[in-house]
Structures are given as structure tokens and as C-alpha cells.
Amino acid sequence: MRCPYCGGLDTQVKDSRPTEDSSSIRRRRVCPDCGGRFTTFERVQLRELMVVKKSGRRVPFDRDKLMRSVQVALRKRSVEPERVERMVNGVVRQLESQTDGDIPTERIGELVMEGLKALDDVAYVRFASVYRNFREARDFNAIVGELQAEPEAAPEPAPVRKRKEPSAT
């Protein structure tokens, strides 16, 4: 692995461990040339995915680009990074399992919107406004209306506490 600081090719792994959801391996590395320390992640890739743009051009799928666009939509929102990582992993798994390798950009956008809707309504509206190219305020009103029309999940009931029986002393 090339050192991001000096470009040295002989970096050493100091620590490896799986991530919380065991979807990747986190490796702490050190460069013997400059002493720089950095982290890499190793993930399973089932197949080489190609994104088919609206123009017909094909480009390699970039998971980091997907993660950046999701993070832009979630900027200043209080969503745990682990939930974001699980959502992005889920989108990638769906893409790998449902396609032959060529993915239209529309499919990626729809999967991201589904995931964001489950994570955070504001992020969902932000992403949809760019993805669907909103031009007027009524476009926002329409998508917010869709959100309000959907039945909300019933809140989980509070756990029932058992009362302590008085001790007979």
C-alpha cells in the first residue's frame, strides 16, 4: 500500500481488526520511510460494477463517491456514522446482487433515496432535491407531502417493569 504522505511503497500493517458490522477489515499502517501513520479498509467486492451515466458513458463504480454524496445530504444532521456505513453497505450489496455489473445512475439514486428516507427525512429531501433536480418550491412541497402522507412506524412500547415484591422479614 502506497504511503499517502511520502509515496513510499513499503508500508507495514501494525494492527488489523474487523469493523463493527464485520463488513470490512480496518488496518492501521505505518510507513518506515517517513513514519507516517494511516488507516486503510479492505472490503469484499463481489464483481466489478460499472455505472452507466445518462449520456451512456460507463465509469467504474466508486463507493467513496457514494459515501461522500450521502454525507453531504446528512451534513449537520445527528445520524450515527455506523448507521450511515450500514446503509451504504446495504446499497452496495443490493447493487452487486441485483445487477449483471452495469448499473444505471437512476438505480443508484433510487436506492440511496430509500436508504436516506429510513435514516433521516431532512437528508432524504436534500438528496432528492439534487437528484430529481428541483426547480421550484412546489417541488419541495410535493416531496414533503409524500413524507407526511406515509404512515409513520408505530413507536415501540415502553418495556414493562416488574415490580419488586416486598420481602417478608
Side-chain angles (χ1 to χ4, degrees), residues 124-139:
Y124 167 72
V125 171
R126 286 177 179 169
F127 187 88
S129 71
V130 174
Y131 175 69
R132 292 185 178 165
N133 199 19
F134 287 4
R135 299 273 185 210
E136 300 174 3
R138 70 175 152 213
D139 297 333

Side-chain angles (χ1 to χ4, degrees), residues 3-62:
C3 174
Y5 304 111
C6 72
L9 292 174
D10 190 29
T11 60
Q12 300 169 348
V13 175
K14 290 298 181 186
D15 180 45
S16 289
R17 62 182 69 177
T19 56
E20 283 187 24
D21 63 355
S22 297
S23 65
S24 60
I25 302 289
R26 177 183 178 271
R27 300 193 194 283
R28 286 293 297 155
R29 296 179 176 266
V30 65
C31 177
D33 297 338
C34 70
R37 293 178 178 271
F38 58 100
T39 301
T40 60
F41 291 88
E42 181 179 318
R43 292 183 179 83
V44 171
Q45 182 175 342
L46 297 177
R47 67 182 73 178
E48 189 68 30
L49 298 175
M50 296 297 287
V51 177
V52 181
K53 302 284 191 173
K54 289 179 183 175
S55 66
R57 192 169 56 102
R58 295 174 72 232
V59 296
F61 176 76
D62 184 353

Side-chain angles (χ1 to χ4, degrees), residues 79-137:
V79 177
E80 297 85 24
E82 296 81 25
R83 292 182 66 208
V84 177
E85 184 70 27
R86 278 194 306 269
M87 191 268 293
V88 170
N89 286 342
V91 168
V92 173
R93 276 194 301 274
Q94 284 182 299
L95 293 172
E96 288 176 335
S97 66
Q98 294 177 353
T99 64
D100 59 355
D102 285 351
I103 313 157
T105 54
E106 295 83 12
R107 178 70 183 138
I108 298 170
E110 293 300 325
L111 288 173
V112 170
M113 285 177 41
E114 287 175 23
L116 285 173
K117 187 186 285 188
L119 280 181
D120 185 88
D121 287 345
V122 172
Y124 167 72
V125 171
R126 286 177 179 169
F127 187 88
S129 71
V130 174
Y131 175 69
R132 292 185 178 165
N133 199 19
F134 287 4
R135 299 273 185 210
E136 300 174 3

